[in-house]
Amino acid sequence: AITIGTLNVRSIMNKTPGVLSHLDEVGCDICLIQETFIRSGDSAKIQEIQDEGWNIYSSPRPNLKGDGIAVLFKPGTMVSPSTVNTSYKSFQVMEVIVGKGDDLVPLYNVYWPPYSAKAKFTEAVFLDEFEEYLGE
């Protein structure tokens, strides 16, 4: 059996050991992470996560400070990134496939930031874009 979790970490940058320790304690094999705050080029943070025994697919939010989503998974867990175009203004989504052969399960990590001065996308905009995404 594979244990899957989801966690809004509100920045893994300053609490990586605690987050990874928690995932180990609860026996999590795959975790969908929101608000990572990992930026493009944060290779030291990616390496730190890998050094602690986890693999990571990270998707920073382009041109915005903060946000970002990722999938953390234990070595030996069959996780592959999807090649679906998932670029939207109001939300982030990352698709991965778990398993191999005929035993495949898709996982979707979706993050819609709350309306703010930097994320001025209303619920209506999100719902329109999400409906478009579901139609693809």
Side-chain angles (χ1 to χ4, degrees), residues 25-46:
E25 287 173 15
V26 298
C28 194
D29 299 303
I30 302 170
C31 192
L32 310 176
I33 304 285
Q34 302 83 40
E35 291 194 278
T36 64
F37 288 41
I38 295 175
R39 306 284 305 222
S40 294
D42 279 336
S43 57
K45 181 54 59 181
I46 300 295

Side-chain angles (χ1 to χ4, degrees), residues 2 5 14 19 22 24 33-34 47 53 62 66 72 76 78-79 83 105 107 115-116 123 127 135:
I2 295 175
N14 61 351
V19 169
H22 172 72
D24 285 333
I33 304 285
Q34 302 83 40
Q47 189 61 55
L72 300 176
M78 301 297 296
V79 178
T83 57
V105 175
L107 295 179
Y115 185 88
S116 68
E123 184 176 331
L127 291 173

Side-chain angles (χ1 to χ4, degrees), residues 1-135:
I2 295 175
T3 302
I4 301 169
T6 184
L7 186 62
N8 184 326
V9 294
R10 188 74 177 129
S11 182
I12 198 168
M13 301 303 289
N14 61 351
K15 55 184 100 138
T16 305
V19 169
L20 299 180
S21 175
H22 172 72
L23 296 178
D24 285 333
E25 287 173 15
V26 298
C28 194
D29 299 303
I30 302 170
C31 192
L32 310 176
I33 304 285
Q34 302 83 40
E35 291 194 278
T36 64
F37 288 41
I38 295 175
R39 306 284 305 222
S40 294
D42 279 336
S43 57
K45 181 54 59 181
I46 300 295
Q47 189 61 55
E48 178 185 356
I49 291 167
Q50 292 170 337
D51 289 347
E52 292 295 323
W54 288 84
N55 293 320
I56 181 171
Y57 292 129
S58 177
S59 179
R61 182 79 179 205
N63 306 317
L64 289 176
K65 182 179 179 184
D67 297 340
I69 56 179
V71 176
L72 300 176
F73 57 101
K74 287 298 215 174
T77 308
M78 301 297 296
V79 178
S80 303
S82 173
T83 57
V84 174
N85 179 14
T86 55
S87 181
Y88 296 92
K89 292 178 186 175
S90 67
F91 70 99
Q92 281 184 273
V93 61
M94 176 187 279
E95 301 178 12
V96 295
I97 305 295
V98 178
K100 65 180 183 177
D102 292 334
D103 295 325
L104 301 175
V105 175
L107 295 179
Y108 306 91
N109 188 4
V110 177
Y111 175 68
W112 169 45
Y115 185 88
S116 68
K118 76 173 190 173
K120 295 181 180 183
F121 299 106
T122 63
E123 184 176 331
V125 172
F126 166 71
L127 291 173
D128 285 344
E129 284 195 335
F130 195 64
E131 183 177 16
E132 177 186 326
Y133 167 69
L134 293 175

